[in-house]
Amino acid sequence: MRRILSFLLIIALLTGMFACKSEPTVPVDPTPTIDPIDLALINPHNDVYYQIFVRSFADSNDDGIGDLNGITENLDYLEELGITALWLLPINPSPSYHGYNVTDYYDIHPDYGTLEDFENLIDEAANRGIKIVIDLVINHTSDQHPWFVSAKSGTSSPYRDYYIWNNGNAFESFVGGMKDLNFENEAVIEEVKDIMDFYLELGVHGFRLDAAKHLIESINPTWDNSFLILQFNMHIKENYPDSFIVSEVFEYMYQFYADYFIGSDSVFNFYLAQQVWSKIGQQSSNYLIVSNLNKAYNAFREVDPEFVDSPFIGNHDLDRVASMQGFMGSDALDKLSLATRFLLTVPGSPFVYYGDELGMKGYRYEGANIPGYGIVYDEYRRQPFIWGEAEYQTSWLPSDGSNDATQSLVDQREDETSLFNVYKEMIQIRKENPALMYGNSFMPYSGNQGNLQGFVRYYQYEDIEQAVLVLHNVGSSPMIIDVAYESILYGTLDLKGFGTLILEINPDEIEAYT
Ligand SMILES: [Ca+2]
Ligand SMILES: [Ca+2]
């Protein structure tokens, strides 16, 4: 009986294994149709992300503040846009509007809902194939976190060594009541592992690791932090092999964060963001964009040949792309559209900052006093999403007028030439073409000259193989493209200024293009 049971168990495990790591079925049709679901399972870290500031996205209970149920009730929208994963900015209780000083890692900010609401969001998103990644803010806690309240009470507190003391003062990397945790203390590391386990058990896919370069302040922080992150990552992979850590190392030179690929599954590519702003936005040495990016990818490849990049062109700590000087002239929409197509054709998991798909504006104030709100800094980089209908509109932050001319979602949906439709179409094209969606190949096109900036992307898995040539015109003058190809996936050979052409090419002839 016992033998039969263990035999059944083995069968169950094997079928279970095949169910999660399903092999692509051999196509009967001579022109193979690619099943994106299978490749998505094989490449669990390749997604198209949508970054949400919960407070500003969608309000479900009419208190003017965005909340988790607001996201759940708008999954239709996220599905329409085509994204496959969400990064939620901090959702834990916190005394600040932004949430980056946590007071309880095991609960939800009362403005945003309850743990039950969060579990419901995870489940409803999963039903639509959308994963959830949360911000993990562990460099510091709020000075109101019970650990710190106890620690500051005296040296005999059991939590005293959770923090870093200097002449009786707790060390802070950031201002605003954020006290750095002490990662020399094994108990703190164990606390973080417990927090990660808690959210993975709830069903989150992984974590955006906030302030990764600040975790350990030492003479060799890159090395120390990469290995600390590796320790966290090895822990979560024991029970959740597909789970994901993307590290935030806020540096614009790729040399400063390439080594973070040692311990992280992915790292945000601030260099790429800056290249897009300067080369496409400001048109500054635009003929270097592909060769520059290739250098960055080669640096990542040296650290991890299977690196998964996390490109983006906007986030909550930056002025909105549409508010940058290079993207504000009469050709703003053309340039923003090209920046979008660029983001969605490079390797990795692109991150779209909520509202960027509408071309929303927003920038930093240096402590201005806004009537009806108070002193502001980064708030207007994180403004209410513009739905164009009242139902889910948030109103926690008064308008500063910066988005008076920004078209709402309702209006942009109906307009074929809108930025929203550029995002939607490009996300779909990315997902339909494995060479764009998966792998990290990036081979500069040998015909690159001046404004013509192209690259070949290639992906192969078993009998699935695809090569595409992506050609971006990063200048305003039109050009005619004359190159061999198999099919046109996007655009026309008559490549207009700030236009994009994507061609499927013969994978056996890549060398002729690179
Ligand atoms: Ca609300
Ligand atoms: Ca620190």
Side-chain angles (χ1 to χ4, degrees), residues 292-505:
N292 281 355
L293 285 175
N294 195 43
K295 285 180 202 159
Y297 295 135
N298 285 339
F300 304 157
R301 203 166 268 124
E302 248 176 58
V303 178
D304 178 6
E306 307 291 312
F307 78 95
V308 176
D309 195 23
S310 284
F312 66 95
I313 56 175
N315 75 26
H316 62 296
D317 286 325
L318 305 165
D319 285 354
R320 289 268 188 185
V321 176
S323 287
M324 290 184 179
Q325 211 172 12
F327 292 98
M328 295 219 294
S330 57
D331 49 11
L333 181 58
D334 288 345
K335 284 182 176 176
L336 285 171
S337 301
L338 176 59
T340 303
R341 293 191 301 265
F342 204 93
L343 172 68
L344 291 164
T345 49
V346 292
S349 287
F351 279 69
V352 176
Y353 184 41
Y354 83 96
D356 275 359
E357 77 274 30
L358 304 180
M360 275 177 62
K361 292 183 160 61
Y363 35 81
R364 181 177 166 91
Y365 288 86
E366 297 297 337
N369 187 11
I370 301 289
Y373 184 81
I375 305 293
V376 294
Y377 295 92
D378 286 325
E379 281 84 345
Y380 285 89
R381 291 167 159 175
R382 309 161 181 176
Q383 296 189 59
F385 185 77
I386 305 169
W387 291 98
E389 54 198 353
E391 194 176 1
Y392 292 102
Q393 185 64 45
T394 71
S395 58
W396 66 278
L397 185 68
S399 167
D400 66 346
S402 53
N403 279 303
D404 284 358
T406 308
Q407 295 243 295
S408 70
L409 172 63
V410 166
D411 291 340
Q412 295 203 28
R413 259 197 190 116
E414 305 305 317
D415 175 2
E416 273 182 27
T417 66
S418 69
L419 190 57
F420 167 73
N421 278 311
V422 174
Y423 271 91
K424 189 176 156 182
E425 181 176 18
M426 290 310 298
I427 291 171
Q428 190 182 342
I429 288 171
R430 186 178 182 90
K431 291 197 297 184
E432 284 171 353
N433 291 281
L436 293 174
M437 185 76 182
Y438 303 114
N440 61 24
S441 80
F442 183 90
M443 296 167 266
Y445 173 49
S446 55
N448 283 352
Q449 198 179 15
N451 296 342
L452 181 61
Q453 291 291 299
F455 45 85
V456 171
R457 303 279 323 277
Y458 171 76
Y459 181 79
Q460 186 268 327
Y461 182 84
E462 297 195 341
D463 55 353
I464 296 168
E465 187 181 36
Q466 190 190 30
V468 302
L469 173 62
V470 180
L471 297 171
H472 294 294
N473 181 352
V474 296
S476 56
S477 311
M479 53 178 78
I480 306 288
I481 301 300
D482 182 14
V483 64
Y485 62 90
E486 292 194 332
S487 67
I488 296 181
L489 297 174
Y490 178 86
T492 61
L493 296 169
D494 193 353
L495 186 56
K496 63 178 181 136
F498 303 117
T500 296
L501 171 63
I502 307 176
L503 302 169
E504 190 155 22
I505 60 172

Side-chain angles (χ1 to χ4, degrees), residues 128-283:
R128 296 159 189 259
I130 296 175
K131 303 167 188 170
I132 307 239
V133 161
I134 58 168
D135 225 303
L136 186 65
V137 188
I138 50 153
N139 173 63
H140 45 262
T141 70
S142 164
D143 57 6
Q144 296 169 41
H145 191 288
W147 294 341
F148 187 76
V149 172
S150 168
K152 76 174 178 188
S153 70
T155 50
S156 61
S157 161
Y159 294 101
R160 186 72 177 182
D161 289 339
Y162 273 38
Y163 297 88
I164 303 156
W165 298 93
N166 192 354
N167 291 328
N169 295 315
F171 175 75
E172 307 182 331
S173 298
F174 301 91
V175 294
M178 306 182 188
K179 306 296 182 185
D180 278 47
L181 284 166
N182 174 17
F183 287 99
E184 308 282 315
N185 182 350
E186 193 59 36
V188 171
I189 293 174
E190 290 306 312
E191 293 276 11
V192 171
K193 288 179 183 172
D194 288 348
I195 295 164
M196 295 175 106
D197 289 344
F198 176 77
Y199 285 100
L200 289 167
E201 263 166 52
L202 283 187
V204 310
H205 175 55
F207 307 94
R208 176 266 186 186
L209 189 53
D210 180 55
K213 70 171 178 171
H214 293 285
L215 296 177
I216 297 174
E217 313 279 347
S218 68
I219 49 166
N220 201 343
T222 298
W223 192 254
D224 291 340
N225 286 318
S226 294
F227 279 89
L228 176 64
I229 298 164
L230 181 63
Q231 203 179 329
F232 293 140
N233 212 340
M234 285 171 68
H235 171 77
I236 62 173
K237 293 294 191 285
E238 278 173 28
N239 290 320
Y240 301 92
D242 287 348
S243 58
F244 181 65
I245 294 178
V246 52
S247 292
E248 180 224 12
V249 183
F250 199 152
E251 294 282 358
Y252 285 113
M253 293 306 295
Y254 61 84
Q255 294 89 340
F256 287 133
Y257 55 82
D259 283 343
Y260 280 84
F261 281 101
I262 292 171
S264 316
D265 297 300
S266 188
V267 184
F268 284 112
N269 195 340
F270 282 83
Y271 179 74
L272 180 139
Q274 198 186 49
Q275 288 291 303
V276 169
W277 306 332
S278 73
K279 309 292 178 234
I280 294 174
Q282 296 172 1
Q283 294 284 288

